[in-house]
Amino acid sequence: MTATADTILARYATDIAFVADDEPATTLDRLADQLMDASVTLDDAGITGAEELDVAATYLRDAEDAAPEARDVLLNKASQHLTDTTGMVAEYRLSV
């Protein structure tokens, strides 16, 4: 499945906002900021895989200014690094 900005936001914004203690992002740039914050929070909580959120944030930021073909590739790469997000957030919810 090809990732789009809308699918990434729909799938991850609420969970990431919970960890980042913020409102759900409505733009990729804001989600990237929250991913960076959430990565630190999850890492501090000892949750494995938090560094993947940093990588995804980098791809999302790069996608914002990319040409359409490159944007699709970058969004797909970001999505791949976000695959464990739901599990990490669930683990975090149990620890707070």
Side-chain angles (χ1 to χ4, degrees), residues 11-85:
R11 188 171 294 141
Y12 302 110
T14 301
D15 279 344
I16 293 301
F18 174 78
V19 178
D21 195 27
D22 202 349
E23 294 296 315
T26 58
T27 66
L28 292 181
D29 190 51
R30 187 68 192 125
L31 181 62
D33 290 343
Q34 289 180 354
L35 285 166
M36 300 295 283
D37 293 342
S39 176
V40 171
T41 300
L42 293 172
D43 188 58
D44 288 349
I47 296 175
T48 303
E51 69 281 352
E52 293 294 320
L53 302 184
D54 290 330
V55 177
T58 300
Y59 284 126
L60 291 179
R61 284 201 176 104
D62 291 347
E64 284 284 280
D65 298 321
E69 308 80 34
R71 180 180 169 95
D72 291 345
V73 170
L74 292 166
L75 290 175
N76 281 321
K77 287 184 177 189
S79 182
Q80 290 170 359
H81 287 278
L82 293 170
T83 56
D84 294 332
T85 300

